[in-house]
Amino acid sequence: MFNRTSRQTAAALASISLLAGCGLFSDEDAEAEQKIVVGSTSEPSTLDPAASWDNSWEMFRNVFQTLVSFPTGSTYPQPDAARSCKFADKSNQVFECVLREGLTFSNGDKLDAAAVKHSFDRIRKIDVQGGPAGLLESLQEVETSGDDTVIFRLKKPDATFPFILATPAMSIVDPAEYPMDKLREDGKLTGSGPYVLDSYAGGEKAELTRNEHYDGFANRRNKSVTIEYFKDSDTLFGALKNKEIDAIYRGLTSEQVVELEEKKAENEDLQLVETVGADIRYLVFNPKDPAAGKLAVRQAVAQVVDRDALVAKVYQGTAEPLYSMVPKGIAGHATSFFDLYGDPDVDKARAILEEAGITEPVALTFWYTTDRYGSGTAAEFAELKRQLEGSGLFDVTLRSKPWKEFQAGYQKGEYPVFGRGWFPDFPDPDNFIAPFVGKNNALSTPYESNEITQQLLPESRKVSDRAAVARQFERAQEIFVGDVRLLPLWQGKLYVASTEDIAGGERALDPQTVMQLWELYRKASW
């Protein structure tokens, strides 16, 4: 995501900054007048929450409110627009929220229980392909009681429902500005969050200023934030070095991270904060493609791909090999792909293909996006092509498009194999399995697995203690390995780079690894 998780303490994060800075923290009044400029290679794909299950959440978190949220340091959703939320029954099927008193949207309209119901009902009614309706499969209906109480009745027990409510996809919108049956398309936002979107120019910049009507948990340390969108990482990094922007989130290449870590003398006026994240990268195989649809082809790819070489050559220590869709740091993590395939082995891959009657090199087209995950993506796919073609078993063609076009293509099922990243909606193993299965999944590539959707996920969602559901998710990962519809590649680290006078970077990423812009502020000079 800007396109989301275990994390270290703020003290540990701060300790890895390259330069602590020598300024004094400004007082609250001075902070409130500050303007911050943040750069990114990842712009929103939409400005309407009903259409977004992607990096657009970065914008939404800062402009809209959700009933509950994940403030920095929290491990369970905390009240945001609501003053309290809880399951009202013992079976985890009725969830009730009571709103804060006197809430309004930035335009002055009342934010009440009816507005909350409208927000959820329109997500399901509009039902955008690959959109957030997929997160609400357990929701039966939304009811209101008076102006301040919202009741969610679920079809089945779902202990993850509070986590889903905390995602920016569940942003509360004004019924007067967001119609029930179609997306808003005037390029504007109306929310009740910490900031107001004053102006937006796609591909260029977004101007955010403090929302004077805001009532929520965020302690805003600045007056306004400009988000500038860049086409490539080199230009983005150059803007930081030249002090044209104050901070970067999403878009740094591994080379740039290494430069900041190792060339401190040359970058003494810059600093870096590292977070152990749960963002992952993986390949998606289209089962309708003549080649990628063959299990033997997918198994052979899995047998050839060398994750260690990929991480070492392209990401230089800023990522680590991943052998399951559930990353390290999340309950239920396993090494399922390594357990079955072991180290890369061309002879084993050749045997898999020959047993299926495939004796000629398999032609495959791999697609990737050029402008969402940073410029390192092109190098990553070049390395995958080198590995696969080096085996003599594959003939790989690489194709790429900017995110919006790329997204439209995979949603139409046009790509045989494509690369995706996943920034978790919430830090729970459910969120690394459920979004990828079923007919209406986040990839728009239907993946039917009755054992996962009808047995393992329902069983796990009855359990409130999320540390006690490892068995179900380990089994789900075994199914993933057997099908090889998804091939995990690596798990990344997250970085916030900034000029040395910017503070708050160690608190700016919430447990969903969404940027909380209000945490950034400028230190005062001596």
Side-chain angles (χ1 to χ4, degrees), residues 20-60:
C22 59
L24 294 173
F25 291 116
S26 56
D27 59 39
E28 293 183 3
D29 290 339
E31 289 172 0
E33 296 303 314
Q34 293 177 2
K35 298 181 179 181
I36 305 293
V37 182
V38 175
S40 172
T41 58
S42 188
E43 66 173 303
S45 64
T46 177
L47 294 182
D48 192 324
S52 172
W53 199 349
D54 63 13
N55 59 306
S56 305
W57 287 11
E58 224 75 52
M59 174 74 77
F60 300 161

Side-chain angles (χ1 to χ4, degrees), residues 125-181:
K125 183 175 180 61
I126 296 173
D127 193 17
V128 171
Q129 183 179 14
L135 285 166
L136 295 174
E137 291 183 348
S138 65
L139 180 60
Q140 178 68 47
E141 62 180 340
V142 184
E143 301 174 356
T144 63
S145 178
D147 286 344
D148 67 346
T149 303
V150 186
I151 303 164
F152 299 92
R153 299 194 182 277
L154 308 183
K155 302 173 186 175
K156 49 195 174 184
D158 188 357
T160 71
F161 193 70
F163 293 83
I164 293 169
L165 291 184
T167 66
M170 305 302 140
S171 296
I172 304 168
V173 300
D174 184 353
E177 302 283 351
Y178 293 83
M180 176 63 74
D181 57 352

Side-chain angles (χ1 to χ4, degrees), residues 70-357:
F70 275 107
T72 299
S74 60
T75 58
Y76 192 83
Q78 303 298 314
D80 187 1
R83 58 184 172 88
S84 66
C85 284
K86 64 179 181 179
F87 277 107
D89 67 335
K90 295 182 179 181
S91 64
N92 293 341
Q93 286 188 255
V94 181
F95 196 75
E96 183 175 297
C97 291
V98 180
L99 296 174
R100 294 175 185 262
E101 295 182 5
L103 286 178
T104 65
F105 293 100
S106 58
N107 61 4
D109 288 354
K110 185 178 181 180
L111 193 167
D112 56 11
V116 176
K117 175 176 168 58
H118 173 88
S119 301
F120 282 83
D121 287 348
R122 74 184 293 267
I123 289 173
R124 297 199 294 166
K125 183 175 180 61
I126 296 173
D127 193 17
V128 171
Q129 183 179 14
L135 285 166
L136 295 174
E137 291 183 348
S138 65
L139 180 60
Q140 178 68 47
E141 62 180 340
V142 184
E143 301 174 356
T144 63
S145 178
D147 286 344
D148 67 346
T149 303
V150 186
I151 303 164
F152 299 92
R153 299 194 182 277
L154 308 183
K155 302 173 186 175
K156 49 195 174 184
D158 188 357
T160 71
F161 193 70
F163 293 83
I164 293 169
L165 291 184
T167 66
M170 305 302 140
S171 296
I172 304 168
V173 300
D174 184 353
E177 302 283 351
Y178 293 83
M180 176 63 74
D181 57 352
K182 63 181 180 179
L183 298 175
R184 182 175 183 176
E185 298 179 343
D186 61 0
K188 299 179 180 179
L189 293 182
T190 306
S192 60
Y195 295 95
V196 174
L197 179 65
D198 281 347
S199 64
Y200 177 76
E204 297 180 19
K205 68 171 60 177
E207 299 283 359
L208 282 66
T209 57
R210 287 169 64 106
N211 176 12
E212 300 305 325
H213 295 275
Y214 173 67
D215 180 12
F217 72 87
N219 177 24
R220 293 165 292 184
R221 308 296 296 271
N222 57 63
K223 181 179 181 181
S224 64
V225 177
T226 298
I227 307 170
E228 294 193 1
Y229 301 109
F230 292 80
K231 297 299 183 184
D232 62 84
S233 298
D234 289 341
T235 307
L236 172 67
F237 192 46
L240 180 66
K241 285 186 166 184
N242 295 330
K243 308 297 175 61
E244 296 167 4
I245 60 176
D246 299 310
I248 293 174
Y249 176 51
R250 309 286 191 201
L252 286 174
T253 65
S254 57
E255 290 85 1
Q256 291 161 356
V257 171
V258 171
E259 178 180 337
L260 289 173
E261 289 177 332
E262 296 182 354
K263 299 180 180 179
K264 300 178 183 180
E266 297 177 21
N267 300 288
E268 62 180 1
D269 55 350
L270 301 179
Q271 60 182 333
L272 186 73
V273 170
E274 175 188 307
T275 300
V276 178
D279 62 312
I280 65 174
R281 297 293 187 276
Y282 56 96
L283 295 177
V284 183
F285 294 92
N286 187 341
K288 295 184 179 180
D289 180 74
K294 296 178 179 178
L295 177 59
V297 170
R298 303 196 299 270
Q299 290 175 327
V301 172
Q303 188 65 73
V304 169
V305 167
D306 187 338
R307 294 169 177 81
D308 287 325
L310 177 66
V311 168
K313 291 182 179 182
V314 179
Y315 293 105
Q316 304 177 57
T318 63
E320 58 184 309
L322 182 65
Y323 295 94
S324 79
M325 291 298 287
V326 178
K328 290 181 179 179
I330 300 294
H333 168 71
T335 56
S336 307
F337 275 88
F338 185 83
D339 296 342
L340 180 61
Y341 293 100
D343 293 322
D345 192 315
V346 173
D347 290 337
K348 288 183 179 179
R350 182 179 294 108
I352 291 171
L353 292 172
E354 289 178 350
E355 186 176 349

